[in-house]
Amino acid sequence: MQPEPAGAVAALVSESGIAGRRIREMIADLAAGPTTLDELVRAHAAPRRTAEALLRAAGADLRTEGGKVFLDPAVVPVYRDRFALAALPDVPAVPGMAALIANAPKADQSLDHVSATAETAERRAQWLARTYDLAGARLVCIGDHDLTSLAVAKACPDARITVVDVDERLLAYLDGRRAGIACYHADLRFGLPPAVAGSADVIFTDPPYTPEGVQLFLGRGAQALRDRANGRLVMAYGFSPLTPALGLKVQRAVLDLDLVIEAMLPAFNRYHGAQAVGSASDLYVCRPTATTWQVLDRRLNALAGSANIYTHGEQSLEGAAAKGPARILGGGPVKADELTVDLTGDPGPWLARVLLALNVGKVTLLVPNNHPDLRDEKAQTALRALVGGKYELRLLRSTPGPKQATVEATLRPAGGVAGWLLTHVHGKIGNVLRDALIRADPTLSRSEAQARAAERIGRDDQLDARLIDLPRHTILSLLRS
């Protein structure tokens, strides 16, 4: 049985994913009055096949007059309601971005952070909302120091937004804005949180401006795509006109993922700083091809664990070659009785995440003496609050030398809900917390424990996340509850 015309049109829009907005705009033209196939193609830059498919789907709901076609006025209200045509011309303004950016955590130059202007965040949100069908779609920001996620949340409240970032300060700041954004911690050199993989319709990223950084961030973005046919990867990248060879290397890194550069909007992004590239960058729109998925894992495996992806600091391309704890943070649980881990290249987040990841009886970790988790009593207390339910810590500053510190971690006997959570950080947090609650109170039914676990976690879209992928402040909140 053939679907009625509006149903067939709805199926066509759905099949187009986030690119369905262009079809809805053509529907709006058909609802507005007589037009031709040529005019539809030209006005919306749509392939002729797409316009023809729309006219076939609309079928009996179309009328012809003087060689032009239009929707029967009797069905226009149905189409306006079903395809939200009235919402197409305007996108809400994005107020308050300057204040949000001013109050955000200070830029971390070691992570190549350069703040975009408030106008740029607004322009990104407006462009995304006008170009794609974001209502109900999943936007994943791979790194979000510029707060693009908050701008999109204001411009398109029906969009579902996820942020993946290595900066704990940023994740806590975003979570504190109560904007409904799902936040995950990840050092992309070691992988993408499984809960994020295969979830996105569109990706946004402003990566480190090295070939390795661009390829890594785009590659992880491709892994995050749910819709491989229609998904888009939107990237901010700029190079100085004085160094076109660097631009070539970066663009080649994009093409090495077998991504096609669908569009490039010159000087779209403006920054406070980054004067070497004119305080500006272009907006690239990339989409995967069939062969992207054949080369993706191989390209990312070549980058896995390499710490040298940035343009500044010890982990820049010019810095000493450094390898991170890829075996520990890039995989599942590690089985051993004793383990020594060299974290002398740790930029900050690795120590806590390695302690979360391991369930080894005795662990010795070598870290920089100025490590942010060791530099003062407050930082050390916070580290113990995070992992103290699993490990007893002995912190030895200036050992074995003035530039190093040693952390000795001894596994405690498993006990309590917090201990169970900390020794099962690779499981789905909803299931792990449910089981921990039942262990603590055997009178609880499985469904009762599941409901309590969901209540404590507070976000349905994070029930399948791993504890190790959650921001530190979220983990601490769960442990304290």
Side-chain angles (χ1 to χ4, degrees), residues 280-366:
S281 71
D282 307 322
L283 195 71
Y284 285 71
V285 183
C286 305
R287 63 183 301 183
T289 63
T291 52
T292 297
W293 317 108
Q294 299 172 19
V295 304
L296 184 60
D297 288 346
R298 185 166 67 252
R299 297 283 187 267
L300 290 174
N301 288 340
L303 296 169
S306 174
N308 301 84
I309 62 171
Y310 295 103
T311 61
H312 297 89
E314 296 181 0
Q315 297 186 63
S316 68
L317 296 183
E318 292 76 24
K323 287 286 184 180
R327 183 171 70 94
I328 298 171
L329 297 182
V334 175
K335 295 183 179 180
D337 295 323
E338 292 190 20
L339 194 65
T340 299
V341 184
D342 183 354
L343 296 181
T344 51
D346 186 0
W350 297 351
L351 172 59
R353 297 289 160 174
V354 165
L355 288 170
L356 287 171
L358 293 174
N359 292 329
V360 173
K362 181 69 180 289
V363 186
T364 302
L365 306 107
L366 190 65

Side-chain angles (χ1 to χ4, degrees), residues 142-166:
I142 303 293
D144 191 37
H145 177 71
D146 296 329
L147 308 184
T148 302
S149 62
L150 290 178
V152 173
K154 287 173 173 286
C156 189
D158 293 333
R160 297 175 298 152
I161 304 172
T162 296
V163 170
V164 180
D165 206 289
V166 72

Side-chain angles (χ1 to χ4, degrees), residues 84-120:
L85 303 185
L88 285 172
D90 299 312
V91 175
V94 186
M97 285 308 302
L100 287 170
I101 290 174
N103 293 324
K106 185 179 178 181
D108 186 342
Q109 290 192 347
S110 68
L111 297 175
D112 282 2
H113 285 169
V114 180
S115 294
T117 64
E119 292 78 14
T120 292

